[in-house]
Amino acid sequence: MRYRTSLFVALILSFSVVASGQSLSKFRSKPAKGDATSDGRNAQESGHPKVLLGDFHPVTGTKFLRANLGADNKKISGSLSKAGITESLRNLVFFDTETDTATTLLPENHSVILSIDTLPERLIPRNSHPISVNEVELISATGLTQSNNTTLSVRWHVIELVTADTDGDGVLTVEDRHSLGIADAGGRGFAEVISQLGHVFSRTMIDENTLLIIHGSQAKQVAVRVDLQTRKVITSKILPNFGTQ
């Protein structure tokens, strides 16, 4: 009799433990799907496509090399290809050949870079003959100068990019608001100088440290002077209406 009673009590206790475990499991937190692993394998799940490193190329007349960090085309949303973007450029890497160190233009790969231009735009010194592409590459590699002792070198990078999904379609495209930023030849000190960039009607270096940008729409244009060294807007003036709209 005692044996049957003990067996009955044991069965009741075992059922209680199982039921308790099932109840507790309902309240245990589940791991988030988007949690990134140490090697970044879940980058796609967080909404940011995998990026690939391109080849390095010299930044003319400097000690730096530059390479692209582009999103894997197979992972890019169809909205980007419809917008005419064949490669979604997410960042730039700059390599210092003197120190063997590398840095990125942007802290993360979450933006879309639409264009990269270098200043000065004309790598031809005054009072010199036009320079061929081969000569520019030679000067970049050897540091040679022209007869007037003017070194041909890039000083600034002008970057047009998209940093936020401003039209609310869930993906960064050319339809979102554009920004304009400036960095030095080695990609350092990047700063946004125009947060709402329109169509660029003109981009001209007034002197070695001042960039003039006329941008906007047919209805409204703005002339913006930028101090390249401080990455700050000096003046911003709305142009008179020309009868366009």
Side-chain angles (χ1 to χ4, degrees):
M1 184 69 175
R2 289 181 180 179
Y3 173 78
R4 291 181 179 177
T5 302
S6 300
L7 180 61
F8 180 75
V9 172
L11 288 173
I12 292 177
L13 289 175
S14 64
F15 281 125
S16 299
V17 170
V18 172
S20 175
Q22 291 177 342
S23 298
L24 288 174
S25 66
K26 295 180 181 179
F27 296 97
R28 291 184 184 131
S29 59
K30 298 180 180 180
K33 292 183 178 180
D35 286 352
T37 58
S38 59
D39 60 0
R41 284 173 293 181
N42 292 330
Q44 283 75 33
E45 295 182 12
S46 64
H48 303 297
K50 175 184 177 182
V51 295
L52 304 175
L53 178 67
D55 295 337
F56 283 92
H57 299 282
V59 177
T60 305
T62 74
K63 62 179 182 177
F64 300 105
L65 306 177
R66 191 185 82 190
N68 293 347
L69 279 177
D72 186 348
N73 286 334
K74 296 178 182 179
K75 305 296 183 182
I76 298 175
S77 167
S79 299
L80 287 174
S81 59
K82 291 178 182 178
I85 298 177
T86 57
E87 179 189 16
S88 182
L89 181 58
R90 296 305 175 106
N91 212 335
L92 299 172
V93 178
F94 292 85
F95 182 84
D96 188 326
T97 59
E98 290 184 357
T99 62
D100 286 356
T101 56
T103 58
T104 57
L105 178 79
L106 306 172
E108 296 179 309
N109 305 324
H110 299 169
S111 300
V112 171
I113 296 176
L114 302 177
S115 67
I116 312 159
D117 294 295
T118 56
L119 298 177
E121 291 177 309
R122 297 181 64 201
L123 297 176
I124 302 176
R126 293 180 180 178
N127 304 320
S128 68
H129 68 283
I131 299 173
S132 68
V133 173
N134 290 336
E135 287 177 305
V136 169
E137 291 179 350
L138 177 63
I139 291 170
S140 175
T142 63
L144 297 177
T145 60
Q146 292 298 302
S147 57
N148 59 0
N149 295 322
T150 302
T151 302
L152 304 184
S153 61
V154 171
R155 293 189 62 203
W156 318 102
H157 295 279
V158 181
I159 314 293
E160 186 176 345
L161 70 165
V162 170
T163 60
D165 175 26
T166 55
D167 62 4
D169 65 354
V171 65
L172 299 183
T173 70
V174 293
E175 303 301 324
D176 292 305
R177 185 174 64 231
H178 297 193
S179 300
L180 189 78
I182 306 291
D184 70 9
R188 299 163 300 194
F190 176 81
E192 183 182 272
V193 292
I194 300 177
S195 60
Q196 298 188 40
L197 183 71
H199 172 76
V200 177
F201 293 93
S202 175
R203 189 183 63 224
T204 307
M205 287 191 72
I206 302 302
D207 56 48
E208 63 180 6
N209 293 317
T210 307
L211 177 65
L212 172 66
I213 299 174
I214 301 175
H215 76 104
S217 64
Q218 287 295 326
K220 179 182 177 182
Q221 304 87 36
V222 183
V224 180
R225 285 179 180 253
V226 177
D227 185 307
L228 294 169
Q229 288 190 324
T230 63
R231 322 293 204 271
K232 294 184 180 299
V233 172
I234 303 170
T235 60
S236 180
K237 296 183 179 180
I238 299 175
L239 301 186
N241 186 277
F242 303 118
T244 57
Q245 56 184 355

